[in-house]
């Protein structure tokens, strides 16, 4: 889907999280996340939503849950299909899959653009990004940065 993107930070083993939190504190990556997603629509699993400090300003939030979970200021959907229908019916909006693991697993194949921050480190984790076929994408590096001696690069993948 041309209006569906995904954004993620991964370690060298595709690790993305532990104990429902992120693995590294990377202020410059958070700035990148903000710049890329500002004024866009964010699609996330209920657990990732609960890991956020609050609603992220100036972004529409769509939460996927199987329960009757409610969150003020967010749109709640109950199936992956319902989330995809939203994306299809709002072709003027750029929608971003922002995690977590279960949502990346289920929605990765639909995304046209992947913004992947690759951290040049590895650490203990309990959540991982799915392995996928890189040959299906054109890949470029948008830049690189470093926080507290942890280096990382910003990759952009565009589905061919
Ligand atoms: N590195 C990164 O860029 C990044 C980004 C985001 C998250 N993360 C990490 O990822 C981890 C969380 O991943 P996770 O997989 O545990 O949680 P998640 O994907 O954020 O949320 C899982 C929840 O989403 C709902 N859900 C998932 N698939 C569904 C479906 N098909 N239909 C209905 N509801 C569905 C369920 O909610 P209910 O239980 O309410 O039914 C499920 O428990 C955390 O460690 C987080 O820090 C990392």
């Amino acid at each position: 889907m041309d209006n569906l993107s995904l954004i993620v930070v991964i370690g060298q083993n595709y690790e993305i999280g532990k104990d429902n939190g992120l693995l590294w504190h990377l202020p410059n990556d958070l700035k990148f996340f903000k710049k890329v997603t500002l004024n866009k629509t964010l699609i996330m699993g209920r657990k990732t939503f609960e890991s956020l400090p609050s609603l992220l300003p100036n972004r529409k939030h769509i939460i996927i849950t199987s329960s009757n979970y409610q969150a003020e200021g967010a749109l709640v959907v109950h199936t992956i299909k319902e989330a995809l229908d939203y994306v299809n019916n709002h072709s003027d909006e750029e929608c971003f899959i922002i995690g977590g693991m279960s949502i990346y697993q289920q929605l990765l194949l639909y995304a046209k653009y992947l913004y992947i921050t690759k951290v040049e480190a590895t650490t203990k984790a309990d959540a991982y990004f799915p392995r996928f076929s890189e040959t299906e994408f054109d890949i470029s590096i948008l830049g690189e940065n470093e926080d507290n001696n942890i280096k990382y690069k910003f990759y952009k993948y565009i589905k061919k």
Side-chain angles (χ1 to χ4, degrees):
M1 292 176 175
D2 286 357
N3 62 326
L4 186 60
S5 298
L6 176 157
I7 188 163
V8 67
V9 188
I10 67 174
Q12 285 166 330
N13 290 324
Y14 280 49
E15 61 271 55
I16 63 167
K18 187 170 185 306
D19 300 330
N20 209 31
L22 296 175
L23 297 171
W24 296 280
H25 179 59
L26 305 173
N28 286 307
D29 183 64
L30 294 177
K31 277 187 203 155
F32 177 78
F33 177 88
K34 184 175 179 184
K35 188 178 86 177
V36 172
T37 62
L38 207 62
N39 301 312
K40 307 285 165 47
T41 297
L42 310 180
I43 300 172
M44 70 205 84
R46 190 262 308 161
K47 290 184 184 169
T48 290
F49 178 71
E50 291 197 327
S51 78
L52 300 177
S54 60
L55 288 175
L56 300 174
N58 300 312
R59 279 153 280 188
K60 195 179 278 186
H61 293 57
I62 299 179
I63 303 167
I64 307 178
T65 178
S66 60
S67 76
N68 57 4
Y69 186 79
Q70 298 285 329
E72 206 178 320
L75 175 68
V76 174
V77 299
H78 297 96
T79 60
I80 290 290
K81 183 180 180 301
E82 216 183 315
L84 290 170
D85 285 346
Y86 180 96
V87 177
N88 266 324
N89 294 331
H90 296 79
S91 53
D92 53 329
E93 281 178 35
E94 187 175 3
C95 300
F96 274 85
I97 302 155
I98 67 155
M101 174 168 68
S102 73
I103 299 304
Y104 290 137
Q105 285 167 347
Q106 295 172 85
L107 286 176
L108 170 62
L109 75 160
Y110 300 102
K112 167 88 179 177
Y113 305 99
L114 313 180
Y115 293 85
I116 305 183
T117 299
K118 294 192 182 180
V119 177
E120 295 171 7
T122 185
T123 189
K124 225 174 150 188
D126 59 19
Y128 292 84
F129 193 72
R131 301 282 169 169
F132 65 101
S133 170
E134 300 225 343
T135 56
E136 288 174 29
F137 294 86
D138 290 319
I139 305 169
S140 59
I141 298 180
L142 302 178
E144 54 190 299
N145 219 317
E146 181 174 337
D147 286 302
N148 315 313
N149 292 322
I150 298 170
K151 289 190 166 74
Y152 48 92
K153 290 192 174 81
F154 302 112
Y155 285 79
K156 183 171 183 181
Y157 287 63
I158 303 178
K159 199 171 257 169
K160 290 175 187 165

